Amino acid sequence: MAVARQFQGPIDLHAHSSVSDGTETPAELVRAASAAGLGTISLTDHDSTAGWAEASTAARDEHLTLIPGMEFSTRVQYASVHLLAYLFDPADSALLAEMTRVRAARLSRAEQMVARIGMDYDLSWDDVLAQTTPDATVGRPHIADALVARGHALNRSAAFADILHWKAGYFQPHYAPDPLRAIELVRAAGGVPVIAHPATRGIGDVVSESRLTTMAEAGLFGLELGHRENKPEPTARLYELAAKLGLLVTGSSDYHGTGKPNRLGENTTAPEVLERIIAEGRGSAPVYG
Ligand code: AMP
Ligand code: FE
Ligand code: FE
Ligand code: ZN
């Protein structure tokens, strides 16, 4: 007998709070999701689960379903690959060690980038700290906000197109594990891994058929093909590969508050797919608010 679904739709499985580079607190994000008419939201801050508790409380208040998640930074040479992870154990020691290492690398990398930018622009590390919450996962968006506050850019997007663009010469990569290892870590922690925005520019090689086959064998659950930054041609190719390899397809907004134009619920995930994620997630439980 089929178990009745406990979650509500529409379902948006990718959103950021001020625990990383979103502009709203976890509770504000959950309230915004409710106001946008969503029934289920996943909080997927970069490399951190620090917002889960606050988001859970807000989800109960708002009668919204919360899927605890994270967007885990991984890397193949110079290509940054984001791995969404759902319903994993936030206390798993191997995963936690890698998250801690990535967050430390992000911090020193941001400090180094700001030191270099500071040679050409009036910008200090304190300017960046003023744009982050305590213990937030620091990223280029915070540097962008500091550049905006100093009047060097009009908004985040403009800062990314100009001073933070790799062509400007200030960009630096940071340590992150290989996606294959990240998939194994997430599965070992009881989580469900999905490659975020896999058809964006720059990660074409990473999602080749041979690499995807290896990742599927290692436990990759799916591909986030519903995302505004995916390009049409590689997206069409990945739909075919997903069908061939048995990977499921998700869609989500990647909402960052006022930090990005992405709107909550602009892409959504099918209930059947969320049902599978919940069935496979063993490290933590959804909050049925
Ligand atoms: P980082 O991980 O520090 O290299 O920064 C990458 C993050 O910057 C991504 O997670 C995005 O949220 C954000 N980002 C990338 N491009 C843009 C853009 N054009 N406008 C605003 N945010 C962006
Ligand atoms: Fe982000
Ligand atoms: Fe991402
Ligand atoms: Zn994201």
Side-chain angles (χ1 to χ4, degrees):
M1 195 183 79
V3 177
R5 281 177 191 144
Q6 292 189 63
F7 57 83
Q8 304 293 311
I11 300 154
D12 186 342
L13 293 181
H14 186 167
H16 297 265
S17 77
S18 52
V19 161
S20 63
D21 53 5
T23 58
E24 294 162 358
T25 64
E28 285 167 350
L29 166 66
V30 168
R31 287 196 286 273
S34 179
L38 290 170
T40 296
I41 184 80
S42 180
L43 175 66
T44 54
D45 277 309
H46 297 283
D47 309 310
S48 176
T49 61
W52 285 13
E54 183 184 316
S56 300
T57 303
R60 289 191 185 95
D61 290 345
E62 294 290 331
H63 304 297
L64 211 75
T65 302
L66 174 79
I67 304 296
M70 174 172 80
E71 188 174 14
F72 197 16
S73 303
T74 83
R75 184 179 147 188
V76 178
Q77 290 161 354
Y78 277 91
S80 163
V81 181
H82 287 172
L83 187 72
L84 293 161
Y86 301 110
L87 299 170
F88 58 91
D89 175 3
D92 179 88
S93 58
L95 182 57
L96 206 48
E98 202 61 22
M99 288 160 62
T100 305
R101 184 172 173 194
V102 170
R103 286 156 50 77
R106 280 178 156 284
L107 191 60
S108 51
R109 168 261 202 159
E111 285 173 331
Q112 285 163 23
M113 280 184 66
V114 169
R116 283 158 65 172
I117 296 170
M119 290 176 191
D120 298 330
Y121 296 86
D122 179 18
L123 185 78
S124 70
W125 182 242
D126 279 345
D127 292 332
V128 176
L129 286 183
Q131 302 298 328
T132 70
T133 58
D135 302 319
T137 301
V138 179
R140 282 182 291 158
H142 302 103
I143 305 176
D145 291 348
L147 287 166
V148 172
R150 280 279 174 202
H152 304 310
L154 271 178
N155 53 41
R156 263 191 197 182
S157 300
F160 268 92
D162 180 21
I163 301 172
L164 294 175
H165 196 279
W166 62 268
K167 284 182 184 161
Y170 304 110
F171 176 80
Q172 247 179 261
H174 61 78
Y175 166 79
D178 183 89
L180 197 59
R181 170 154 167 74
I183 287 166
E184 289 165 356
L185 282 168
V186 168
R187 279 293 187 182
V192 183
V194 172
I195 301 183
H197 40 74
T200 42
R201 212 170 303 128
I203 68 165
D205 270 5
V206 178
V207 289
S208 66
E209 178 160 0
S210 67
R211 273 187 190 272
L212 269 183
T213 303
T214 310
M215 290 194 272
E217 285 164 2
L220 182 65
F221 175 86
L223 301 175
E224 185 192 49
L225 293 181
H227 187 292
R228 66 157 67 200
E229 283 159 43
N230 284 332
K231 307 289 172 211
E233 188 278 323
T235 302
R237 179 180 69 85
L238 288 176
Y239 266 107
E240 288 176 16
L241 266 180
K244 185 170 170 183
L245 298 174
L247 297 170
L248 279 87
V249 169
T250 67
S252 24
S253 66
D254 203 357
Y255 178 73
H256 281 68
T258 58
K260 270 189 154 184
N262 309 34
R263 300 327 318 162
L264 281 163
E266 66 178 27
N267 285 289
T268 55
T269 295
E272 294 73 23
V273 174
L274 178 56
E275 213 155 44
R276 284 279 302 272
I277 291 174
I278 291 171
E280 292 190 23
R282 292 177 288 98
S284 58
V287 176
Y288 297 110

